[in-house]
Amino acid sequence: MRPFGYQRAASTRAAVEAVGAGDGAVFLGGGTNLVDLMRLGVATPHTLVDVTRIAPATIEETAGGGLLVGGGVRNGELAAHPLVRRRYPVLSQAVLAGASGQIRNMATVGGNLLQRTRCSYFQDVTKPCNKRQPGSGCPAREGDHRNLAIIGHSESCVATQPSDMAVALAALGATVHVEGPGGPRAVPMPGLHRLPGDQPQRDTVLGPGDLITAVELPPLPLAARSRYRKVRDRASFSFAVVSVAAALEVAGGVVRDCRIALGAVAHVPWRAETAEAALRGAEATEAEFTRAAELELAGARPLPGNAYKVPLARNLLVRVLTDLAEAP
Amino acid sequence: MNGEANTIRGDAAAPAPITSDLRLSVNKDVHPITVDTRETLLDTLRERLDLTGSKKGCDHGQCGACTVLVDGRRVKSCLTLTVTVDDREITTIEGLAGGDSPHPLQEAFIEYDAFQCGYCTPGQLCSAVGMLAEAQDGWPSAVSEGDGPVVLDEEEIRERMSGNLCRCGAYPNIVEAIRRVAP
């Protein structure tokens, strides 16, 4: 590991200024991904600016009935919060589906959103990777892509965004509050993460010095009936192969409203707006859920080794919606 | 995953290490120490403070052998930079027992034969202590249903302990030992 400086920012403004200069300083939250990437030689910052003492670590109710989650809240605390569990069960479930107890105690909300892909080529500095080294190529298209993207990928990158939490936040339409060199701003979810295009080195729309200070959950009564379901290679402590975050409101056998996002299928948490539009006003039946899922996935462009993810995503989505419709 | 990247090399061409003077509180003892910013808590404990109970398994946060408690919460010491925890209270496997009396979980691990080679055991024990505190605080897990108090049955214990691997496969006895201590 290359030597690096360490400083503890005294304020949000000081942290933003320290990293915003763009000379190789980066924010340090829980470090569960960054420290590992530094050890692997993938990340080589010259200074770590520790924001865990200044990033807000509280969860507060907003005037409109939503929640404001500080960027420094640890993942374990977020998942256990009574109001998160009651109003947004999909978010609590998504966080609990990720990582392990130890890692959830370390990882922050802001850091979770900014974790890098687990594509094996990205993490192996002996291999080309357009995300790690722009222009070097992408061996995944011809190589191991069993668990990579099926939607929205580009010639230059087929990586997936690995966060479970982000999938729930995309479904809920959360707002990410950012403090940057130009002042504060709000970034909607989905919208924080970006498709790879020809700049796969950019995971998100954030620039140097942009610090996530909070995530705001909107008032959303239908989210009380929501859930997260994750398919993975083993039952626990494993990244998703496909995941679904969904909220569903049914009245008189008809879908009044819904929110749906898919995880582990794209470079972003994939908000399923096509399926949502197809379902609003439709009968809450397995046949309609299947029709909506197939419409959403009509745009999928799987690679030879991950075509299985398309029917898997369809079936998982149908199952989650059916369970939500049948739940008491 | 070769081990070379983990090594702090001292060759002349390499940039000079950057160090930090700090006071580290471990098992209620305060240690004044100068650390390289790259040093992980696991390496500081083992190589500098001679607390070799915490084990290095994968060194990537995936096996749990390095689990310690920071301010009472379980974390992976291999992913924790020592410079980040100088104002925290660290508890390692060496600090679990009260004097000559083993921690109840340590006694249960012996009674229920919850290990074979023992390499993962310090991490399992520290993780179990942290896990019981989380359950006591009402924290749910991925397999919890409803909002009621946490009942630590086998399924709950297996899910909550999934961050600790045991390559001997002593899981049935680990689960049983923890279940006996759980309220």
Side-chain angles (χ1 to χ4, degrees):
Chain A
M1 206 188 289
R2 204 174 78 173
F4 54 84
Y6 171 81
Q7 51 180 270
R8 216 166 267 174
S11 67
T12 300
R13 186 44 40 195
V16 168
E17 282 171 9
V19 174
D23 59 355
V26 300
F27 297 120
L28 174 67
T32 56
N33 187 209
L34 178 58
V35 171
D36 195 38
L37 290 176
M38 289 166 68
R39 181 173 289 146
L40 293 169
V42 174
T44 53
H46 86 61
T47 300
L48 297 184
V49 178
D50 188 339
V51 294
T52 56
R53 307 306 193 282
I54 50 118
T58 54
I59 298 175
E60 295 166 1
E61 294 195 72
T62 60
L67 289 179
L68 189 67
V69 180
V73 171
R74 307 287 172 165
N75 287 193
E77 302 272 357
L78 173 66
H81 196 280
L83 290 178
V84 174
R85 293 173 69 185
R86 193 177 314 140
R87 294 183 190 171
Y88 311 97
V90 65
L91 177 57
S92 176
Q93 291 169 16
V95 172
L96 291 172
S100 66
Q102 291 98 315
I103 288 174
R104 290 192 295 271
N105 284 341
M106 302 172 73
T108 62
V109 165
N112 183 317
L113 285 172
L114 300 181
Q115 63 179 299
R116 311 298 308 272
T117 186
R118 294 322 195 272
C119 174
S120 57
Y121 300 102
F122 173 73
Q123 297 188 94
D124 181 349
V125 295
T126 68
K127 301 288 192 299
C129 169
N130 288 323
K131 182 181 281 296
R132 192 184 63 251
Q133 195 175 349
S136 62
C138 173
R141 295 191 73 88
E142 302 295 323
D144 177 18
H145 53 251
R146 174 182 166 271
N147 196 17
L148 298 180
I150 56 171
I151 312 176
H153 49 75
S154 69
E155 278 301 311
S156 66
C157 185
V158 290
T160 51
Q161 213 291 324
S163 166
D164 292 295
M165 186 184 78
V167 185
L169 293 179
L172 293 170
T175 300
V176 178
H177 291 279
V178 176
E179 187 77 31
R185 71 183 197 277
V187 180
M189 289 278 291
L192 174 70
H193 302 89
R194 57 183 292 287
L195 292 175
D198 57 3
Q199 284 191 303
Q201 68 273 23
R202 293 183 58 215
D203 292 351
T204 70
V205 299
L206 302 186
D210 280 341
L211 177 66
I212 294 176
T213 54
V215 172
E216 185 172 349
L217 305 172
L220 193 67
L222 84 142
R225 185 189 282 261
S226 65
R227 68 173 298 184
Y228 186 75
R229 191 157 173 187
K230 175 176 177 178
V231 174
R232 42 187 158 173
D233 289 333
R234 59 182 183 202
S236 184
F237 198 12
S238 184
F239 288 96
V241 172
V242 173
S243 69
V244 168
L248 186 70
E249 182 185 351
V250 177
V254 171
V255 176
R256 298 289 299 274
D257 201 1
C258 59
R259 299 284 188 281
I260 303 167
L262 298 170
V265 297
H267 199 258
V268 300
W270 188 267
R271 178 74 175 263
E273 287 174 329
T274 303
E276 289 180 13
L279 281 175
R280 289 193 184 97
E283 287 181 21
T285 59
E286 191 169 317
E288 286 299 305
F289 297 150
T290 304
R291 183 180 67 87
E294 286 178 344
L295 277 173
E296 183 66 49
L297 291 161
R301 297 289 179 269
L303 299 166
N306 67 7
Y308 74 98
K309 284 182 135 185
V310 179
L312 186 58
R314 179 197 63 208
N315 294 350
L316 186 67
L317 180 49
V318 171
R319 177 50 48 207
V320 169
L321 293 172
T322 306
D323 287 351
L324 281 169
E326 290 173 354
Chain B
M1 309 277 184
N2 66 49
E4 203 179 327
N6 301 327
T7 308
I8 296 170
R9 276 165 294 185
D11 59 284
I18 297 172
T19 61
S20 181
D21 298 328
L22 45 87
R23 295 162 63 81
L24 203 61
S25 180
V26 183
N27 302 328
K28 301 201 165 64
D29 291 330
V30 176
H31 304 266
I33 189 171
T34 300
V35 300
D36 187 309
T37 54
R38 293 170 291 182
E39 233 175 281
T40 62
L41 179 58
L42 176 62
D43 285 338
T44 303
L45 292 169
R46 289 182 54 83
E47 309 294 335
R48 310 285 303 283
L49 302 181
D50 205 26
L51 294 168
T52 55
S54 305
K55 295 293 187 280
K56 185 178 283 191
C58 68
D59 215 19
H60 288 283
Q62 295 171 7
C63 78
C66 69
T67 303
V68 301
L69 301 163
V70 173
D71 288 346
R73 293 289 183 213
R74 53 181 172 157
V75 303
K76 308 237 164 169
S77 64
C78 77
L79 292 179
T80 302
L81 295 170
T82 306
V83 285
T84 66
V85 288
D86 63 330
D87 53 351
R88 310 293 203 213
E89 177 60 42
I90 297 149
T91 306
T92 70
I93 185 68
E94 290 88 349
L96 283 193
D100 292 334
S101 314
H103 187 282
L105 276 164
Q106 290 175 311
E107 288 183 337
F109 267 56
I110 294 167
E111 185 178 349
Y112 290 95
D113 201 15
F115 49 85
Q116 288 184 44
C117 83
Y119 196 81
C120 73
T121 312
Q124 298 278 0
L125 284 161
C126 286
S127 185
V129 170
M131 183 275 278
L132 291 179
E134 291 161 12
Q136 183 76 34
D137 291 342
W139 287 21
S141 82
V143 299
S144 302
E145 287 176 16
D147 289 343
V150 176
V151 178
L152 290 175
D153 57 14
E154 179 179 343
E155 187 186 19
E156 281 278 4
I157 292 171
R158 283 182 176 275
E159 165 58 26
R160 288 167 188 264
M161 293 295 292
S162 70
N164 292 83
L165 306 185
C166 169
R167 295 295 76 169
C168 300
Y171 297 112
N173 293 4
I174 293 171
V175 171
E176 185 61 14
I178 294 172
R179 212 168 65 80
R180 295 291 168 160
V181 177

